[in-house]
Amino acid sequence: MRKTVWAAVAAIVILPITAATQAPGEYVGAETCTGCHEDVADSFEKTAHANALEVLVEAGSDGDAECLACHATGVEDSKYVDGAVTCEACHGPGGEHVATGEATTINNEIGEADCLKCHTADWSPDFDYDEYLAKGIHG
Ligand code: HEC
Ligand code: HEC
Ligand code: HEC
Ligand code: HEC
């Protein structure tokens, strides 16, 4: 009985701490990434991906979960971590990488299949992996 009470108290106290240190696999948002990868951030800002939510705003569809799925990052229903196609849309959730600071905890082997999740025949009929990669993802 007493144990159960303590477990409940511990849960309340521990929850916010885990949130702050990030559980593995959680989205942390691009601002966290660029704190350590500033050089990448500068060139990323010049790409179309940085602008992906703006085009939804212009289309009046920035509250549409279906559109947000490809025009934002860390999307759940119509909420998102980043309003743009940012780091974690390609590299995957970075919670574990940020917590450990180790290169092996983040996906750096990105290929055509990662792009095709969003660059579908419907939405990106002219997509060609080499051509699109050459337009620049980040420097
Ligand atoms: C606390 C600092 C820090 C933060 C925050 C951080 N990184 Fe890193 N990242 C590093 C370090 C250190 C390395 C290893 C660098 C090296 O080996 O040259 C690294 C390496 C990488 C690599 C290359 C991995 C490889 O296999 O060589 C990628 C990709 C990467 N980070 C992406 C991200 C993304 C995306 C985010 C945000 C989710 C992020 N990083 C946030 C410190 C950080
Ligand atoms: C499956 C992923 C996906 C979904 C879902 C999606 N889009 Fe897109 N959208 C893209 C991609 C990828 C591009 C870039 C295409 C290209 O340039 O080859 C794009 C481009 C656009 C553009 C053109 C941007 C420009 O620079 O001219 C607009 C506008 C747009 N989408 C609006 C929408 C709206 C509105 C919705 C919801 C009804 C939506 N998208 C849903 C992936 C998607
Ligand atoms: C559209 C997909 C995409 C987005 C968005 C993206 N990256 Fe990358 N990133 C790549 C690809 C592709 C590579 C090259 C990986 C390889 O060598 O195969 C890469 C490589 C890297 C590397 C390793 C650099 C090196 O020299 O190997 C780092 C660090 C990195 N990205 C960080 C970031 C950060 C930080 C952001 C957000 C500001 C970001 N990326 C956004 C696709 C992306
Ligand atoms: C999460 C969805 C998503 C992923 C993953 C993604 N993209 Fe995109 N991409 C978009 C959207 C949405 C746009 C349109 C943004 C805009 O027009 O502002 C776009 C636009 C682009 C553009 C600009 C097209 C033009 O004609 O100017 C290039 C280049 C591009 N993406 C390359 C890539 C490559 C290469 C990959 C894989 C390494 C990739 N993208 C992965 C969603 C995505």
Side-chain angles (χ1 to χ4, degrees), residues 18-106:
T18 358
T21 51
Q22 298 299 344
E26 256 178 49
Y27 287 92
V28 299
E31 236 180 90
T32 303
C33 310
T34 56
C36 292
H37 296 287
E38 240 174 281
D39 48 336
V40 173
D42 290 344
S43 54
F44 168 77
E45 278 304 322
K46 300 187 185 86
T47 68
H49 286 148
N51 206 37
L53 186 67
E54 304 307 318
V55 301
L56 285 193
V57 172
E58 279 161 30
S61 305
D62 56 309
D64 188 330
E66 188 208 324
C67 313
L68 287 167
C70 296
H71 285 255
T73 304
V75 182
E76 217 179 294
D77 301 323
S78 50
K79 294 195 194 118
Y80 46 80
V81 174
D82 283 331
V85 176
T86 61
C87 324
E88 293 168 293
C90 292
H91 290 284
E96 190 177 356
H97 173 60
V98 171
T100 60
E102 284 167 15
T104 51
T105 50
I106 190 93

Side-chain angles (χ1 to χ4, degrees), residues 1-21:
M1 183 65 183
R2 217 165 251 175
K3 249 188 195 152
T4 329
V5 172
W6 273 111
V9 171
I12 292 161
V13 174
I14 287 162
L15 262 177
I17 298 170
T18 358
T21 51

Side-chain angles (χ1 to χ4, degrees), residues 55-56 59 61 64 66-67 69-71 117-120 123-127 132:
V55 301
L56 285 193
S61 305
D64 188 330
E66 188 208 324
C67 313
C70 296
H71 285 255
K117 282 184 276 184
C118 299
H119 286 269
T120 57
W123 281 105
S124 191
D126 299 329
F127 183 76
Y132 270 54

